[in-house]
Amino acid sequence: MKKILLMIAAAASLTAAAETVAGVDYEDGIFLLNEGAYGHVHGFIYFRSSDGTMVYRAPEVENGNSTQLGVTTQFGTVYGGKLYACAKQAAYSDEAYGARVTVLDAKTLKVVKELKDLPGGVDGRAIMLTEDAAYISTSGGILVYDPELTECKATIGSEEYGTMIYAGGKVFACEFMGGIDIINPADNTIESTIEGSFSNIVMSHDGNIWASVKSANTLMKVNPYTLESEEVAVDAGVAINQWSWCTDGFVASCNENKLYWRSVDGWENQGIYCYDIDSGTQTKVIDLAGDGYTFYDGGVGVHPVSDNICSMMNQTSWGKKSVYREWTKDGEQLADEELPASIEVNGETFSTENPFPAQVVFSDRYAPEFDVTSLGSVAAGETAKYRIIDIVSDADNQDAAIDLKAETSGVIEASVAEGYLYVKGTGEGDGTLTLIANSNGRKAQTTVQYSATGVADVEALPLEVKVNNGGIEVTATDAGVVVVCDAQGRVVATAQAEAYRTVRAAEGLTAGVYVVRCNQQTVKVIVK
């Protein structure tokens, strides 16, 4: 990528005329979401295309000024070709426009739907969608709607909730300054809770869930399949707003196993940290100490394709100005654009002084794509195992978040569990495997012709054993009893294993050599 430093000076009195830009592609750029100024200005969105074209207050440009976002718009997301914006309140008492949830066509930004009010009079926080439902977190529980937002079907809990993630067939919902609730989407019940005081949750590139913790120098890691959680100490923690809910600038790369967040510098946050999950190291990649601008709440994001760090920033000491800045993942500055102090849209002038950046939301340009070169053959009576992320990927979303379904005909059976696809040959002959991938609401499908023979041309799935945090996790081909023995042959733990399901067979083991047996298979492991 050619690196260009853009320096665009603008006087504080500058008014920019917002007009529809010919050829602007809303599916190829960045949405800069601003909460507005409570009591004065509704939330608004700037769109910055990949070529640097800026469309100020883009929804008003495309729909007219009578369509505005709600008051204190804090959260946005793109799903299934639609852009969702969630605000705390709909409008001030004397205004007809504004909504707690605004749905826009992600390609044209035309309004698709608005929810002016939410059941129970609660205030909006965030929204997350799956193929089957829309979850709206609020000041008093989580509302479960159908995907088209036509009917509220259930309410989960009564606490104030914020960000939510769908992973491992479950919904992870972060209570504001509370625990992480794990919700079963089949009946929308809370199955368990990870206790703590959390602000925000993200999914890392490896598929784990990470939470920003109120404690300054701690993160929480959660395995979405086993629900095992682990506190991870960091040198400098995430800057969170513990008084009023908002996203907190805690984000993850879609290309590398890295997390990024705003530094804890008091009210004015002028640094960005990167935590390399694989190496366990932390680096301050951006340090703006002494600069005239500061990162505010969730107004920072990592581009899903380039890994560039993008931010709408406000002036230090509660100044009136704002800028858009962009850096490489290593902290080299690429763009520095001062934003106008007022915007003219359809003949009306809007003030943008005292900005409060809420979130950087990235467009979703690409659908998932398959690579099925490793599929197509399995021995009768045997099972082949494939990592889902080796089969399907998405160029601008987390591969680990892709939801995969499998359908078969003929002499094969298939199942999906814990990030893997399993294909079993049930007899000799031919079969077909159809895979349907849902990545952020965009779907792709492919069909693979399978040949199942009597020759074991595909190796049977061995007993898979992993050492994790002083314990042993086992995945077996068939159900059975897992036995863990020490080096002297003494049984130290047993567990019941289900076919293709990971079980935590042993906990708290001391360092040494251990032997794991299940269904006549034996694996030797070392616990360090």
Side-chain angles (χ1 to χ4, degrees):
M1 175 184 293
K2 185 178 181 180
K3 300 175 181 178
I4 303 173
L5 179 61
L6 299 176
M7 300 296 293
I8 300 178
S13 60
L14 174 65
T15 297
E19 299 177 355
T20 301
V21 180
V24 67
D25 184 357
Y26 289 117
E27 290 188 308
D28 186 18
I30 303 169
F31 298 100
L32 303 175
L33 182 64
N34 197 292
E35 70 178 53
Y38 182 77
H40 303 282
V41 180
H42 277 232
F44 56 88
I45 293 175
Y46 293 169
F47 175 76
R48 188 179 190 275
S49 68
S50 60
D51 65 4
T53 301
M54 189 78 79
V55 182
Y56 300 106
R57 299 190 75 105
E60 286 88 342
V61 169
E62 299 298 342
N63 296 278
N65 296 352
S66 62
T67 299
Q68 293 187 30
L69 304 183
V71 175
T72 318
T73 303
Q74 287 286 12
F75 185 86
T77 189
V78 176
Y79 184 89
K82 297 175 183 176
L83 170 62
Y84 297 79
C86 198
K88 290 187 175 180
Q89 297 90 30
Y92 302 118
S93 58
D94 59 344
E95 296 171 344
Y97 51 78
R100 281 181 167 85
V101 178
T102 303
V103 186
L104 307 169
D105 184 298
K107 188 172 184 178
T108 65
L109 291 198
K110 298 298 183 183
V111 174
V112 175
K113 192 178 189 66
E114 292 180 315
L115 293 182
K116 299 283 188 179
D117 297 302
L118 299 174
V122 292
D123 289 341
R125 293 295 183 262
I127 184 169
M128 185 212 70
L129 295 104
T130 69
E131 185 175 357
D132 302 314
Y135 295 82
I136 301 174
S137 61
T138 75
S139 57
I142 297 173
L143 305 175
V144 185
Y145 278 77
D146 62 282
E148 301 303 319
L149 297 177
T150 57
E151 180 185 0
C152 181
K153 298 180 176 295
T155 300
I156 303 171
S158 59
E159 304 297 325
E160 180 180 19
Y161 288 87
T163 45
M164 300 163 287
I165 292 175
Y166 179 75
K170 297 174 280 289
V171 175
F172 293 78
C174 185
E175 292 183 28
F176 179 53
M177 297 298 117
I180 300 172
D181 286 343
I182 292 89
I183 298 167
N184 181 352
D187 56 11
N188 292 311
T189 58
I190 299 174
E191 293 187 335
S192 59
T193 299
I194 299 172
E195 301 295 338
S197 184
F198 306 110
S199 173
N200 187 25
I201 53 177
V202 299
M203 175 185 284
S204 56
H205 189 54
D206 60 11
N208 285 309
I209 306 297
W210 291 78
S212 52
V213 185
K214 182 179 177 181
S215 174
N217 298 325
T218 307
L219 303 176
M220 176 67 75
K221 174 185 174 183
V222 182
N223 183 310
Y225 302 113
T226 66
L227 304 186
E228 178 187 5
S229 60
E230 173 189 358
E231 286 192 351
V232 177
V234 291
D235 296 331
V238 180
I240 64 177
N241 184 343
Q242 58 185 298
W243 296 279
S244 178
W245 184 84
C246 57
T247 54
D248 55 20
F250 180 52
V251 292
S253 168
C254 287
N255 303 294
E256 300 179 307
N257 218 21
K258 294 180 178 179
L259 305 172
Y260 295 81
W261 63 83
R262 296 181 307 131
S263 61
V264 180
D265 300 319
W267 281 104
E268 296 182 344
N269 310 108
Q270 294 190 292
I272 297 293
Y273 282 100
C274 172
Y275 178 71
D276 187 316
I277 297 170
D278 295 332
S279 67
T281 57
Q282 179 176 317
T283 307
K284 194 170 190 177
V285 293
I286 297 175
D287 190 345
L288 299 180
D291 193 271
Y293 288 91
T294 178
F295 301 103
Y296 183 82
D297 285 342
V300 60
V302 175
H303 196 284
V305 177
S306 67
D307 261 348
N308 288 347
I309 301 167
C310 309
S311 179
M312 181 177 179
M313 308 178 68
N314 57 358
Q315 203 171 13
T316 56
S317 303
W318 304 104
K320 295 182 178 181
K321 297 181 181 180
S322 60
V323 295
Y324 171 79
R325 286 184 179 173
E326 188 169 329
W327 300 261
T328 68
K329 64 181 180 180
D330 299 318
E332 179 183 348
Q333 188 168 299
L334 301 175
D336 184 6
E337 305 174 24
E338 187 170 339
L339 302 176
S342 60
I343 306 294
E344 184 180 312
V345 184
N346 302 319
E348 183 178 355
T349 299
F350 294 89
S351 171
T352 59
E353 294 183 341
N354 304 112
F356 296 98
Q359 193 182 5
V360 178
V361 181
F362 299 98
S363 57
D364 186 1
R365 186 172 183 81
Y366 301 101
E369 294 184 349
F370 287 98
D371 179 356
V372 295
T373 55
S374 62
L375 281 64
S377 180
V378 63
E382 304 291 355
T383 299
K385 176 184 179 182
Y386 313 90
R387 290 197 312 170
I388 291 176
I389 59 175
D390 293 334
I391 299 170
V392 61
S393 61
D394 187 331
D396 55 3
N397 281 291
Q398 291 287 21
D399 293 346
I402 296 175
D403 188 28
L404 187 70
K405 292 182 172 60
E407 299 175 353
T408 60
S409 64
V411 295
I412 60 169
E413 295 177 349
S415 60
V416 176
E418 299 188 357
Y420 289 91
L421 167 70
Y422 300 92
V423 181
K424 182 177 182 179
T426 59
E428 296 184 28
D430 298 320
T432 61
L433 169 68
T434 299
L435 300 174
I436 305 101
N438 180 345
S439 180
N440 202 44
R442 301 190 68 167
K443 292 185 178 181
Q445 180 174 315
T446 190
T447 297
V448 181
Q449 300 299 318
Y450 255 84
S451 174
T453 70
V455 180
D457 53 359
V458 177
E459 183 179 350
L461 172 69
L463 184 66
E464 183 176 313
V465 180
K466 293 182 180 179
V467 177
N468 190 350
N469 196 28
I472 291 177
E473 296 175 355
V474 178
T475 306
T477 55
D478 299 301
V481 176
V482 177
V483 179
V484 181
C485 300
D486 62 16
Q488 287 72 45
R490 295 171 296 194
V491 176
V492 296
T494 61
Q496 181 65 43
E498 298 181 20
Y500 309 121
R501 297 284 184 177
T502 301
V503 62
R504 185 81 170 174
E507 292 275 11
L509 297 176
T510 58
V513 177
Y514 293 86
V515 176
V516 182
R517 297 189 180 92
C518 183
N519 298 329
Q520 298 182 333
Q521 292 178 315
T522 301
V523 175
K524 183 182 293 185
V525 297
I526 299 175
V527 175
K528 297 181 179 180

